[in-house]
Amino acid sequence: MDARQTIKIKSSFSKPLQHIAMTSMLSFYSIGVVIYELLGSEPENLIEYIACAGSVVFPLLTARLVWRLLKTRDAITISPEGLCDRRLADETIPWKNINDVASWNDNREQTIVLGIDPHQVDQLGRGIKSRIVRASLFRMPKGIYIDGRVLSIDFDRLFELVAAYHRTYGKPKSV
C-alpha cells in the first residue's frame, strides 16, 4: 500500500436505500390515513394524531435521507494531510491532531475511534469540535467516531488503511 496517495471511499447504497424505502412507506401510510380519516373531521384518537404528525415528519425525513445519500457519495477521504469523513463534517482532521486510532465494538457495530489531542481540539473546525463535545456528554471516549457499516469497503480494510496512514503521518508515540 502506498501511503502517499489519496483514497476516496464511497458510501454504500444498500443501507440508505432501505431506510429511504421504509420512510417512504411510512410517509404514504401516514398521508393516506390523514386523507382517508381526517379530511372532514378532527383527530379523535392517538393513531390519528400520530398519522397527522407522521404525514409531516416522514416525508421530511425521506427528503433528508435522499439528500444525504446524494451529498455524501464520497464519504471518507484518506490522504497524507489527514482524514475527512464528510458524513460528520467537511473539514479534514490533520494526522498531527490524532493521538491514537482504535477499534471499538459494541453490539456487533464496529467503529473506528480517532483519539484527538485535547490541547489541539480548538484548532479543528466547528463541525468536528461539536462531535467531540457530544461524545464526551454521553461518557464515550473522547474522539471522533467513524462508522464503517455503510461504506463500499469492509471495516477491517478501512481500519487497516486509517492505521497505516496514522503510523506514517501521525504523531510518533512517546515511549
Side-chain angles (χ1 to χ4, degrees), residues 96-136:
K96 68 180 175 91
N97 290 11
I98 300 172
N99 283 343
D100 194 23
V101 175
S103 173
W104 184 47
N105 298 330
D106 184 37
N107 293 336
R108 298 181 317 189
E109 293 181 17
Q110 294 180 310
T111 306
I112 295 175
V113 181
L114 303 178
I116 304 296
D117 186 350
H119 302 294
Q120 294 181 339
V121 168
D122 290 335
Q123 296 174 4
L124 299 172
R126 194 179 72 206
I128 299 295
K129 282 195 290 190
S130 69
R131 296 286 177 168
I132 294 171
V133 168
R134 272 186 260 162
S136 65

Side-chain angles (χ1 to χ4, degrees), residues 6-7 9 75-98 101 112-114 116 124 128 144-147 158-159 161-163 165-166 169:
T6 297
I7 300 170
I9 300 169
I76 296 177
T77 303
I78 302 171
S79 68
E81 291 78 39
L83 184 139
C84 177
D85 188 344
R86 290 183 49 99
R87 300 169 302 170
L88 301 174
D90 288 334
E91 300 114 23
T92 298
I93 305 166
W95 293 116
K96 68 180 175 91
N97 290 11
I98 300 172
V101 175
I112 295 175
V113 181
L114 303 178
I116 304 296
L124 299 172
I128 299 295
I144 301 296
Y145 293 80
I146 299 175
D147 184 3
L158 176 65
F159 182 73
L161 285 170
V162 172
Y165 273 74
H166 182 258
Y169 298 106

Side-chain angles (χ1 to χ4, degrees), residues 4 16 22 26 40 53 59-60 62 66 76 78 87 106-107 115 122 142 149 162 170-173:
R4 292 174 290 177
M22 183 177 61
L26 290 169
L60 291 174
T62 303
V66 169
I76 296 177
I78 302 171
R87 300 169 302 170
D106 184 37
N107 293 336
D122 290 335
K142 284 190 177 181
R149 290 178 296 167
V162 172
K171 287 183 180 177
K173 295 220 180 210

Side-chain angles (χ1 to χ4, degrees), residues 12-13 16-17 20 65-73:
S12 170
F13 268 154
L17 285 178
I20 290 169
L65 289 171
V66 169
W67 171 252
R68 191 169 180 194
L69 178 66
L70 296 174
K71 179 183 171 238
T72 59
R73 190 64 187 126

